Amino acid sequence: DQQVKQNSPSLSVQEGRISILNCDYTNSMFDYFLWYKKYPAEGPTFLISISSIKDKNEDGRFTVFLNKSAKHLSLHIVPSQPGDSAVYFCAASHGQNFVFGPGTRLSVLP
Amino acid sequence: NAGVTQTPKFQVLKTGQSMTLQCAQDMNHEYMSWYRQDPGMGLRLIHYSVGAGITDQGEVPNGYNVSRSTTEDFPLRLLSAAPSQTSVYFCASSYSGTGPFYGYTFGSGTRLTVV
């Protein structure tokens, strides 16, 4: 049973609009959440993270929201750019125990 | 600063062959791990190490061995390759101390095909 779920395998958004990527988790022990971005033929790269003591973290165009009661987090990208087209992985951790979601492929259309 | 270096980038094996995937990092990270990426499955942890001489199993360890004789290197050995091990393999490293955690630094991956 997947502990971290990303129920949308793919998402298409127009350039300049908002992209919202969603992630759900089942293990209430997770206390740190991260988003990674992956381009083809490259390893994933760290994008943004949030601790369970916060409900929002912002870094430029990227904002992560955490709703602990719903065990849900989301990544907002505003405005979306064609260079944001990639696969986005959500990850949840407790200590060094990391669990990744299956990923969402984002396509930003010019 | 090379970060995490994986070799080879591509490999084709015959069923039953053995091989070693190499991983090296130059950031003095204590924690290193191996993941495999399969379609629709995300990244699944194979083995990890919290320091030289210490290794442990992850979610999908069967068919793989690891060792950590130095801080820098963490090779992954396939003992007898099977088609089910066809995947993309990523090595990752991080600090293991307390405080803000910025996640792993990943290598660029090894694409392995077992025929």
Side-chain angles (χ1 to χ4, degrees):
Chain A
D1 187 33
Q2 284 188 332
Q3 295 186 66
V4 178
K5 302 176 184 179
Q6 294 176 256
N7 291 323
S8 298
S10 63
L11 175 68
S12 292
V13 171
Q14 286 295 130
E15 181 178 4
R17 302 286 205 139
I18 184 171
S19 295
I20 300 177
L21 294 90
N22 293 304
C23 177
D24 298 288
Y25 61 96
T26 58
N27 188 343
S28 58
M29 293 294 291
F30 289 138
D31 55 6
Y32 214 87
F33 305 89
L34 304 92
W35 285 93
Y36 283 82
K37 177 179 178 180
K38 184 184 179 305
Y39 292 117
E42 295 183 10
T45 54
F46 170 76
L47 187 59
I48 192 170
S49 64
I50 187 167
S51 161
S52 60
I53 63 172
K54 294 187 174 182
D55 55 17
K56 175 182 174 181
N57 189 27
E58 201 168 346
D59 184 2
R61 296 186 297 114
F62 302 91
T63 303
V64 56
F65 296 93
L66 175 63
N67 182 334
K68 283 180 293 184
S69 60
K71 295 191 179 67
H72 177 84
L73 65 156
S74 60
L75 174 68
H76 293 210
I77 307 174
V78 182
S80 301
Q81 299 174 353
D84 296 329
S85 296
V87 176
Y88 289 79
F89 291 100
C90 167
S93 75
H94 175 65
Q96 290 288 358
N97 175 28
F98 252 68
V99 181
F100 285 87
T104 296
R105 181 177 301 277
L106 173 66
S107 299
V108 179
L109 309 173
Chain B
N1 191 341
V4 177
T5 303
Q6 286 184 240
T7 56
K9 292 191 181 301
F10 302 95
Q11 183 71 50
V12 178
L13 288 179
K14 293 182 179 179
T15 297
Q17 285 185 316
S18 62
M19 79 160 294
T20 300
L21 280 63
Q22 301 292 342
C23 176
Q25 53 92 9
D26 61 358
M27 298 170 285
N28 203 30
H29 284 170
E30 300 95 340
Y31 187 89
M32 296 185 74
S33 56
W34 277 100
Y35 284 87
R36 58 178 289 174
Q37 183 195 4
D38 301 293
M41 303 289 286
L43 292 147
R44 292 183 294 168
L45 181 64
I46 304 171
H47 285 284
Y48 66 96
S49 168
V50 298
I54 306 170
T55 63
D56 206 345
Q57 296 181 350
E59 181 186 355
V60 287
N62 292 340
Y64 307 94
N65 272 357
V66 292
S67 60
R68 184 94 179 270
S69 56
T70 66
T71 300
E72 295 79 18
D73 300 299
F74 191 44
L76 178 72
R77 296 183 191 84
L78 278 70
L79 308 173
S80 177
S84 61
Q85 293 179 304
T86 293
S87 187
V88 181
Y89 292 83
F90 290 100
C91 179
S93 71
S94 72
Y95 290 110
S96 61
T98 57
F101 185 70
Y102 298 101
Y104 296 145
T105 299
F106 281 87
S108 58
T110 295
R111 184 174 293 276
L112 175 68
T113 302
V114 182
V115 298

